[in-house]
Amino acid sequence: MTECECSEVHQRRRVVLTGGPGAGKTAVLELIRQFFCSHVKVLPEAAGIVFGGGFPRESDLECRRAAQRAIFHVQRELEATGDSHGPAIVLCDRGTVDGVAYWPGEPDLWSSLGTTLEQQLGRYDAVIHLRTPLGQHGYNQQNPLRTESATEAADIDARIAQAWERHPRRFMVEAFSDFLDKAERALEILRGEMPECCKRHVVPVLRDRPRHANGIEPTRPAQGG
Ligand SMILES: [Zn+2]
Ligand SMILES: [Zn+2]
């Protein structure tokens, strides 16, 4: 982690990084964890804690709903830990509103939890959505299993996009063929949310990458395979 020269306490801003499967969220968060300072608190993903901790992962409606409620409560409490120790940015690996994309049937998630979409959107100052790459980027179309999962992934990505669509400060990061272009764009947006002292922190892998003299990126083959 980088040290920040500034030791002031800044007004806390809560930012969500979200996106469908295969969007590169984990890799972007890892860059932030490594190269930003303690002003930026990166939270773990609630679903990872819940399922990784052994919460039953069944496909029936009751169990899926129970899991989404558990994820919601863990997310809320993770955010409570994030707010302590005076960070400038609490960066959430998904937010409570992501649950809408995974919630099956009626009544909806919010009435089941006694809250509203408006209240939950209001928890976050900004939302950065990393789009899942379409089939031709990042997924191997020769493999029918991968094609199938690419369709599913795009579907979840679309549901997440819809869940957050009413947030007033949502940034969409399209799926560039080069992951580093995408990471750069996401970090640029995050920098816009940071206090002045933190805007200088650099990510070496992004700073040192080759560029054309005119600033236009060289064409690279698509990732994947
Ligand atoms: Zn500062
Ligand atoms: Zn800093």
Side-chain angles (χ1 to χ4, degrees), residues 4 6-8 10 39 195-198:
C4 204
C6 165
S7 57
E8 265 178 63
H10 299 278
H39 276 145
E196 286 307 315
C197 56
C198 293

Side-chain angles (χ1 to χ4, degrees), residues 17 25 33 48 92 103 112 117 126 155 177 188 197 201 217 221:
L17 187 69
K25 189 166 59 68
R33 271 195 197 98
C92 305
W103 180 262
S112 171
L117 173 63
D155 201 53
S177 58
E188 197 180 293
C197 56
H201 302 319
E217 294 298 314

Side-chain angles (χ1 to χ4, degrees), residues 50-102:
V50 168
F51 292 126
F55 197 96
R57 196 166 200 170
E58 310 282 349
S59 57
D60 62 285
L61 290 187
E62 267 327 298
C63 289
R64 284 166 63 195
R65 289 181 188 136
Q68 289 307 316
R69 282 190 297 264
I71 290 167
F72 172 88
H73 292 298
V74 169
Q75 180 63 36
R76 293 278 299 254
E77 300 304 335
L78 280 172
E79 290 171 13
T81 70
D83 291 354
S84 61
H85 310 293
I89 297 280
V90 175
L91 186 60
C92 305
D93 184 349
R94 300 186 186 280
T96 55
V97 178
D98 280 87
V100 172
Y102 298 90

Side-chain angles (χ1 to χ4, degrees), residues 2-6 36-40 194-195 197-199 201:
T2 309
E3 281 301 311
C4 204
E5 288 146 37
C6 165
F36 286 87
C37 68
S38 58
H39 276 145
V40 182
M194 288 176 175
C197 56
C198 293
K199 292 195 201 291
H201 302 319

